[in-house]
């Protein structure tokens, strides 16, 4: 085994040396961070893992992927940006992944892989397997909130995960003297989890420690924090002149070389003649892999927009639980609960997670009673939005269909990385190798003096991110149909509900039908003005249309239902009938959905317009608290009526 461990480290060392040369020669574009000097941690840790175990990596991830079984030729092809790369040229060095080898990806965001690994561990727990997740991270990541949230969540839920810190005592260019370096053993004690230390330059020591801790995690003993102190022989990235390192630090390079340490033991065993043989074999393997990569084609221009979204495919009728009772009308809150209940009842891969969603039944009572009916599948989490979203990403990548709750959309800034840089981009960055069927439920709504941090309409922040879908229902039937469609969609979908609609009643949904995401609905036909809206404002516009009909003005009201992707076809088809367009939403007018629709119509259907496009929205300011100011700020039925009358009079 000693010789095999050396072989695995030698493969990583030579891969990284040639990677540095290829980068220097201009063959590798982008950033490159090599792991020379840290090979013992990757090899020692992965030597005790199975093919079913999952790892997440860092921006310095080549060694982790190789140690876990990644294909070297496809890795070099990925670094060169070729179509035959492990991520089809979409990931590159910082985002390299190999799902077949159980590598859920390297990550260009420091610490971002930890919540994802926690989600993978949660999936293992829910499935009842003995698999383990290992999250590699550097000592610099300990300063990230994602580290705290992931470790805390794993501790609370006793998840089968090893948090493995490759402590090289440098966070990019900064050593431990410029940060408050609390010993990791004390941090582990603070979270109430186990801690173990390994000499990260001794591959056999790492393997021994990890064997014990991985076995412990498999047994159900909960998470562990392992610290492997190692040495980063190169700079933070290739080209880093390392002016921040002292002569004494640089002189320690040879003494800490993990290959030299193990080679000395192999010679002492009398097997020194194998070292040259291994070097020759590794050299041939590496050069063969580089030749493969150089011969691989670049991605075709016709593939530019591929892998952003997973295809939805055939949409069969929904299975309906046998005990469903038909009702003539239903409140929106009950329709949402019914959708969650039906998905939990018909799909064992669905689970719910979030703050107070289980025993508490959600802050608005929407999930009340589901905890008792589906024990173990509603998961209360700490108040840790980054960890909650990461849990969803990791579990979705593992093949489950998580529905996670963000209590208020205003909190999106706390966890935006996991949605913007992880969930939305994971399929693209892996070249289509993974799906992320994640549903995020959240809510918004002004009009109840909730103030500037609980009343915002922030859908455009999410709609602007390729890879995400965003839906905003305005009726109980739509709330049901869109939510079930979201859960069954193979892509991450954000479902934004308006809390002022929760206790509003409407027609009961057809519980055998999921609505098509990305398809608007003409809720009222008319010939004079097209009025486009969504969520609660669609109902306001419908009321305005009824008022205007009494004055002889017939509005055609289009409820978008889905914000991303936008259904421009339905809008333009309506505009062809009316020649006048009004867009209304609760969000501020500037940079909103109305602005995007206006730009599209102006570019693609200008000839249909007989009047300038008008928009109705909130003023560019935070939502006010005082009721009278909030009423002035929030667009209402009277504002819609005035705008329509101005259009007709033009």
């Amino acid at each position: 085994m000693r010789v095999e461990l050396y072989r695995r480290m030698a493969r990583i060392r030579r891969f990284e040396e040639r990677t540095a040369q290829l980068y220097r020669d201009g063959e590798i574009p982008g950033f490159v961070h090599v792991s020379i000097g840290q090979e013992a941690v990757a090899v020692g840790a992965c030597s005790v893992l199975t093919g079913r175990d999952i790892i997440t990596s860092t921006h310095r991830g080549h060694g982790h992927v190789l140690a876990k079984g990644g294909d070297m030729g496809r890795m070099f092809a990925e670094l060169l940006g070729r179509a035959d790369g492990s991520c089809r040229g979409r990931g590159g060095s910082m985002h390299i992944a190999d799902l077949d080898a159980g590598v859920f990806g390297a990550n260009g965001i420091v610490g971002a892989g930890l919540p994802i690994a926690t989600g993978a561990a949660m999936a293992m727990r829910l499935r009842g397997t003995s698999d383990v997740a290992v999250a590699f991270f550097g000592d610099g990541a300990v300063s990230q909130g994602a580290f705290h949230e992931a470790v805390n969540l794993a501790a609370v839920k006793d998840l089968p995960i090893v948090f493995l810190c490759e402590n090289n005592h440098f966070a990019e260019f900064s050593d431990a003297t410029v940060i408050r370096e609390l010993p990791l053993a004390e941090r582990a004690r603070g979270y109430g989890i186990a801690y173990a230390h390994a000499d990260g330059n001794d591959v056999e020591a790492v393997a021994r420690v990890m064997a014990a801790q991985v076995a412990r995690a498999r047994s159900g003993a909960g998470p562990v924090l392992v610290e492997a102190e190692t040495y980063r022989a190169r700079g933070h990235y290739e080209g880093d002149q390392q002016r921040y390192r002292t002569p004494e630090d640089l002189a320690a390079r040879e003494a800490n070389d993990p290959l030299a340490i193990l080679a000395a033991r192999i010679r002492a065993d009398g097997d020194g003649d194998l070292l040259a043989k291994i070097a020759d074999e590794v050299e041939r393997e590496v050069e063969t892999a580089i030749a493969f990569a150089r011969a691989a084609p670049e991605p075709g221009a016709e593939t530019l927009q591929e892998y952003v979204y997973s295809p939805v495919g055939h949409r069969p009728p929904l299975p309906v639980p046998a005990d469903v009772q038909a009702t003539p009308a239903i409140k929106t809150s009950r329709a949402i609960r019914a959708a969650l209940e039906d998905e939990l009842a018909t799909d064992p891969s669905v689970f719910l997670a979030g703050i107070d969603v289980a025993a508490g039944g959600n802050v608005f009572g929407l999930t009340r009673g589901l905890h008792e009916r589906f024990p173990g599948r509603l998961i209360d989490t700490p108040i840790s939005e980054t960890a909650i979203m990461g849990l969803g990403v990791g579990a979705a990548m593992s093949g489950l269909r998580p529905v996670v709750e963000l209590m208020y959309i205003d909190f999106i800034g706390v966890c935006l990385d996991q949605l913007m840089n992880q969930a939305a981009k994971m399929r693209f960055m892996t070249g289509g190798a993974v799906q992320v069927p994640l549903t995020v439920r959240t809510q918004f709504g002004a009009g109840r003096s909730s103030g500037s941090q609980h009343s915002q309409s922030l859908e455009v922040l999410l709609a602007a991110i390729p890879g995400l879908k965003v839906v905003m229902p305005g009726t109980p039937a739509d709330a049901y149909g869109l939510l079930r469609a979201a859960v069954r969609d193979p892509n991450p979908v954000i479902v934004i509900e308006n809390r002022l609609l929760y206790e509003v009643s409407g027609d009961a949904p057809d519980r055998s039908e999921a609505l098509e995401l990305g398809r608007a609905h003409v809720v009222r036909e008319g010939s004079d003005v097209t009025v486009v809206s969504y969520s609660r404002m669609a109902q306001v516009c419908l009321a305005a249309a009824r008022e205007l009909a009494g004055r002889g003005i017939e509005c055609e009201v289009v409820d978008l239902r889905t914000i991303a992707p936008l259904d421009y076809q339905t809008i333009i088809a309506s505009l062809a009938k009316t020649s006048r367009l009004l867009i209304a939403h609760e969000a501020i007018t500037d940079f909103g959905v109305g602005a995007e629709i206006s730009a599209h119509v102006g570019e693609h259907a200008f000839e249909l317009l007989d009047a300038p496009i008008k928009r109705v929205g909130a003023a560019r300011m935070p939502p006010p608290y005082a009721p009278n100011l909030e009423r002035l700020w929030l667009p209402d039925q009277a504002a819609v009526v005035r705008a329509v009358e101005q259009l007709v009079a033009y």
Side-chain angles (χ1 to χ4, degrees):
M1 185 61 184
R2 181 170 281 175
V3 171
E4 179 57 29
L5 291 174
Y6 182 87
R7 183 192 309 276
R8 295 178 187 181
M9 288 198 298
R11 293 178 72 244
I12 296 173
R13 173 67 59 86
R14 192 58 185 148
F15 180 95
E16 297 287 55
E17 289 172 343
R18 291 293 281 123
T19 293
Q21 291 169 355
L22 293 170
Y23 176 79
R24 179 198 63 197
D25 295 342
E27 290 193 63
I28 295 178
F31 296 109
V32 167
H33 308 76
V34 299
S35 59
I36 294 173
Q38 300 184 185
E39 298 89 349
V41 184
V43 170
C46 292
S47 69
V48 301
L49 300 179
T50 72
R52 290 176 53 87
D53 294 327
I54 296 299
I55 71 169
T56 59
S57 183
T58 71
H59 52 273
R60 201 177 312 282
H62 307 155
H64 304 145
V65 181
L66 283 168
K68 191 63 169 63
D71 182 273
M72 185 182 290
R74 296 185 64 223
M75 288 179 65
F76 270 124
E78 184 61 31
L79 297 186
L80 267 60
R82 303 302 170 86
D84 293 335
S86 52
C87 301
R88 301 182 187 272
R90 268 69 174 182
S93 174
M94 286 195 295
H95 312 116
I96 198 163
D98 193 326
L99 276 295
D100 292 337
V103 182
F104 273 19
N107 215 299
I109 310 296
V110 174
L114 280 77
I116 296 173
T118 303
M122 179 63 78
M124 295 164 182
R125 169 61 52 81
L126 291 172
R127 285 179 167 145
T129 70
S130 61
D131 302 326
V132 169
V134 175
F136 287 91
F137 63 99
D139 47 305
V142 177
S143 299
Q144 287 279 0
F147 166 82
H148 163 78
E149 294 193 29
V151 175
N152 185 57
L153 177 58
V156 168
K157 299 300 179 182
D158 286 323
L159 297 180
I161 183 170
V162 177
F163 295 101
L164 178 51
C165 179
E166 296 176 293
N167 189 353
N168 59 37
H169 299 283
F170 277 96
E172 296 192 0
F173 310 145
S174 302
D175 63 18
T177 64
V178 299
I179 61 173
R180 179 68 178 270
E181 189 178 43
L182 183 68
L184 286 179
E186 293 186 30
R187 293 182 186 272
R189 193 179 307 114
Y191 295 114
I193 65 174
Y195 168 84
H197 180 274
D199 180 351
N201 300 316
D202 183 344
V203 66
E204 292 179 304
V206 175
R208 284 194 300 271
V209 170
M210 284 297 291
Q213 298 309 321
V214 167
R216 181 182 180 281
R218 289 195 202 284
S219 71
V224 61
L225 177 57
V226 174
E227 180 180 15
E229 291 191 89
T230 184
Y231 185 87
R232 192 187 78 197
R234 304 288 281 252
H236 170 57
Y237 54 81
E238 286 306 293
D240 174 10
Q241 299 300 307
Q242 304 186 73
R243 293 187 177 92
Y244 50 88
R245 302 186 92 153
T246 66
E248 294 77 17
D249 178 37
L250 293 170
R253 180 179 303 177
E254 289 188 18
N256 290 294
D257 188 339
L259 273 76
I261 291 170
L262 191 60
R265 295 176 187 169
I266 292 172
R267 292 189 186 97
D269 292 340
D271 294 326
D273 57 329
L274 295 175
L275 298 177
K277 181 181 178 182
I278 291 172
D280 289 342
E281 291 173 352
V282 167
E283 185 67 21
R284 286 195 296 272
E285 180 188 9
V286 169
E287 293 308 315
T288 298
I290 292 174
F292 167 82
R294 284 171 169 161
E298 294 181 334
E302 72 281 1
T303 70
L304 172 64
Q305 298 187 47
E306 291 183 357
Y307 314 122
V308 178
Y309 294 95
S310 297
V312 175
H314 177 60
R315 300 170 60 249
L318 295 175
V320 181
D323 59 349
V324 166
Q325 301 294 318
T327 54
I330 191 172
K331 291 182 178 180
T332 301
S333 59
R334 297 304 90 192
I336 293 168
R337 184 190 185 282
L340 295 172
E341 183 176 25
D342 290 352
E343 282 301 312
L344 286 164
T346 58
D347 188 344
S349 72
V350 174
F351 72 93
L352 276 56
I355 303 164
D356 296 326
V357 300
N362 165 276
V363 68
F364 297 102
L366 301 183
T367 58
R368 195 168 295 149
L370 297 181
H371 176 59
E372 292 77 17
R373 182 175 176 191
F374 304 99
R377 293 173 63 193
L378 276 78
I379 301 168
D380 281 332
T381 68
I383 303 175
S384 302
E385 284 83 5
T386 292
I388 294 167
M389 294 303 146
L391 181 153
V393 175
M397 292 177 69
S398 300
L400 299 186
R401 292 186 176 272
V403 181
V404 301
E405 181 175 306
L406 179 66
M407 190 179 290
Y408 288 83
I409 196 173
D410 309 74
F411 305 162
I412 198 71
V414 181
C415 57
L416 189 58
D417 170 65
Q418 287 295 323
L419 292 174
M420 177 175 68
N421 289 318
Q422 311 304 326
K425 296 179 173 66
M426 200 61 72
R427 174 172 169 79
F428 181 79
M429 292 191 306
T430 61
V434 68
Q435 292 183 341
V436 187
L438 166 65
T439 301
V440 178
R441 281 190 52 252
T442 188
Q443 53 78 35
F444 80 112
R448 296 286 174 84
S449 290
S450 297
S452 296
Q453 295 180 348
H454 285 72
S455 305
Q456 298 171 93
S457 188
L458 301 175
E459 62 272 11
V460 292
L461 294 182
L462 297 164
I465 301 170
L468 298 181
K469 295 184 178 182
V470 181
V471 301
M472 298 184 72
T475 67
D478 286 356
Y480 178 91
L482 291 172
L483 181 52
R484 291 204 73 180
V487 176
R488 290 171 172 267
D489 198 286
N491 301 283
V493 183
I494 317 297
V495 180
I496 306 174
E497 303 152 2
N498 190 301
R499 63 178 174 271
L500 273 66
L501 293 177
Y502 281 154
E503 298 311 305
V504 173
S505 296
D507 293 339
D510 178 354
R511 293 175 79 165
S512 68
E513 181 182 0
L515 297 177
E516 182 180 354
L517 302 187
R519 182 63 60 88
H521 181 213
V522 177
V523 294
R524 187 184 192 279
E525 294 191 354
S527 56
D528 296 322
V529 178
T530 295
V531 180
V532 176
S533 191
Y534 53 91
S535 190
R536 190 183 72 88
M537 276 301 293
Q539 303 310 308
V540 172
C541 290
L542 197 57
R546 289 192 288 265
E547 177 183 337
L548 287 160
R551 306 179 193 179
I553 301 172
E554 294 296 332
C555 295
E556 180 149 299
V557 180
V558 178
D559 186 346
L560 291 175
R561 302 197 291 200
T562 303
I563 306 305
L566 277 170
D567 182 1
Y568 294 113
Q569 184 176 354
T570 297
I571 296 170
I572 291 175
S574 176
L575 185 59
K577 294 167 54 180
T578 67
S579 301
R580 289 173 170 80
L581 177 61
L582 169 69
I583 309 114
H585 47 61
E586 281 192 22
I588 63 172
T589 306
D590 304 56
F591 307 103
V593 173
E596 186 60 34
I597 294 173
S598 298
H600 185 90
V601 170
E603 183 176 355
H604 298 283
F606 181 76
E607 70 282 358
L608 298 178
L609 294 169
D610 285 345
I613 300 170
K614 291 194 71 68
R615 292 176 289 160
V616 169
R620 185 175 173 78
M621 57 174 285
Y625 168 75
N628 66 314
L629 296 180
E630 188 177 36
R631 285 192 296 271
L632 289 171
W633 172 79
L634 189 65
D636 58 10
Q637 181 174 327
V640 174
V641 169
R642 286 195 301 272
V644 169
E645 289 179 330
Q646 290 168 3
L647 274 175
V648 172
Y650 183 83

